[in-house]
Amino acid sequence: MKFNVRSRGDHASNVLTQRVKSYLEEFGLVYDEEEPEIVISIGGDGTLLEAFHQYAYRLDETSFVGVHTGHLGFYADWQPEEVEKLVIHIAKTPFKIVEYPLLEVLIRHTNDLETERYLALNECTVKSMEGSLVMDIEIKGEQFETFRGDGLCMSTPSGSTAYNKALGGAILHPSLASIQLAEMASINNRVYRTIGSPVVLPEHHTCLLKPRSDVDFQVTLDHLTLVQKKVKSIQVRVAAEKIRFARFRPFPFWKRVKESFI
Ligand code: NAP
């Protein structure tokens, strides 16, 4: 089996990365950064987000597992002192695959025929580079509202515990193939009106954001930030692809939520 190990880059994660790499090679596994079948992320959730984006083009062939070298991780379930056990599992036992839904983001431009396509594991956020964000929001082809405010956050169920949670969004179990649209400080008065609460869309519903004016936008995809000009629309929905996690033992979602937040 071909593997890669990705480190957060701090000393403790780098040391652990070298140990995992040499243990796996001792078991006859092949280190391959180009086409790994399993990627071991050593660091935090941010490290796993980076690993996901590195291999987002080959999600069918790559599984992920995380070791956390800091506080408890949502995507990283193994402790540093357990790496020998994890290595033996990877080398010796066929692992179970758990799939989580992803967000698909399509950005269309007024001056360009080409559509940009991105995937996000946590979320996509949209903010205006100047003044309030003003967007018409369509859900499943119907005008839903005109949003005015700081920004919008469209998250996956596994990303619902990240930025979305800070915006007052609900925590969704990753078995619910859905996206959640959460507002950032919407302007609500007699003139401007938005729904004011987070909205959860099912797999077959598409959300389309259409700018009211030709301004530049800041679009984030997990930890990545893009500046987008001449935007015609930003379309979000549940992606056809899923991320695959290698599971060697149960990793209950609600236990993670409880241990992280309560
Ligand atoms: P960061 O700003 O260095 O760290 C963001 C924090 O969010 C880290 O503590 C990270 O955990 C945690 N996190 C990441 N994914 C999570 C998840 N699915 N559930 C719960 N916590 C999660 O940024 P980063 O490490 O590059 O991560 C990018 C993420 O930061 C974005 O996807 C966004 O969700 C989040 N963010 C949150 C806010 C906010 O809450 N106001 C604002 C901006 C961005 P680790 O320490 O284990 O890596």
Side-chain angles (χ1 to χ4, degrees):
M1 183 158 62
K2 292 184 277 184
F3 73 95
N4 186 10
V5 197
R6 281 207 53 142
S7 166
R8 177 165 53 199
D10 58 291
H11 180 67
S13 304
N14 289 344
V15 169
L16 212 54
T17 298
Q18 279 314 313
R19 266 173 63 198
V20 169
K21 185 171 178 278
S22 49
Y23 285 161
L24 285 171
E25 283 174 334
E26 279 168 29
F27 274 107
L29 278 79
V30 179
Y31 183 74
D32 185 337
E33 289 183 10
E34 298 302 314
E35 295 181 332
E37 290 150 76
I38 188 162
V39 175
I40 302 112
S41 147
I42 300 186
D45 289 325
T47 321
L48 204 128
L49 292 173
E50 287 172 17
F52 161 75
H53 282 275
Q54 183 180 358
Y55 297 107
Y57 67 97
R58 60 186 318 277
L59 295 173
D60 282 350
E61 290 106 351
T62 304
S63 302
F64 298 85
V65 64
V67 178
H68 59 87
T69 51
H71 26 92
L72 200 82
F74 263 85
Y75 296 116
D77 51 331
W78 291 81
Q79 313 258 7
E81 55 276 17
E82 296 178 307
V83 290
E84 283 86 356
K85 208 157 90 181
L86 174 62
V87 163
I88 294 168
H89 273 302
I90 294 173
K92 303 266 183 203
T93 47
F95 47 80
K96 197 178 157 210
I97 296 284
V98 173
E99 295 185 327
Y100 279 7
L102 298 169
L103 184 75
E104 180 197 69
V105 181
L106 299 180
I107 304 179
R108 298 187 179 91
H109 297 272
T110 49
N111 59 350
D112 195 347
L113 293 176
E114 206 174 303
T115 300
E116 292 172 41
R117 180 176 189 268
Y118 301 97
L119 293 177
L121 174 55
N122 269 351
E123 76 286 288
C124 167
T125 68
V126 182
K127 293 177 189 168
S128 172
M129 299 288 286
E130 46 184 294
S132 296
L133 177 77
V134 186
M135 287 270 191
D136 282 333
I137 301 182
E138 284 180 18
I139 296 179
K140 214 174 165 233
E142 297 279 337
Q143 167 70 13
F144 182 71
E145 65 181 15
T146 300
F147 177 89
R148 283 178 183 80
D150 284 3
L152 290 161
C153 173
M154 286 70 63
S155 63
T156 64
S158 61
S160 66
T161 48
Y163 203 158
N164 167 74
K165 186 175 181 298
L167 298 170
I171 296 179
L172 295 186
H173 193 276
S175 61
L176 299 165
S178 53
I179 57 171
Q180 183 165 183
L181 176 63
E183 299 181 348
M184 295 176 198
S186 57
I187 299 171
N188 270 292
N189 52 37
R190 281 192 301 145
V191 186
Y192 303 133
R193 180 66 44 206
T194 63
I195 191 74
S197 65
V199 172
V200 179
L201 303 183
E203 210 170 356
H204 60 290
H205 287 193
T206 297
C207 178
L208 195 68
L209 313 182
K210 288 172 149 176
R212 277 290 190 99
S213 57
D214 180 21
V215 292
D216 298 348
F217 296 97
Q218 178 192 287
V219 176
T220 68
L221 299 140
D222 301 332
H223 58 294
L224 307 166
T225 303
L226 312 170
V227 174
Q228 289 286 337
K229 295 172 184 291
K230 303 273 172 216
V231 175
K232 186 174 163 198
S233 67
I234 300 174
Q235 178 185 300
V236 289
R237 66 178 170 197
V238 178
E241 299 96 322
K242 292 192 169 196
I243 183 169
R244 293 146 50 101
F245 289 101
R247 284 274 191 277
F248 303 93
R249 60 184 183 192
F251 185 33
F253 180 73
W254 296 117
K255 189 164 176 271
R256 261 178 282 164
V257 172
K258 182 179 159 190
E259 286 174 358
S260 298
F261 295 118
I262 301 177

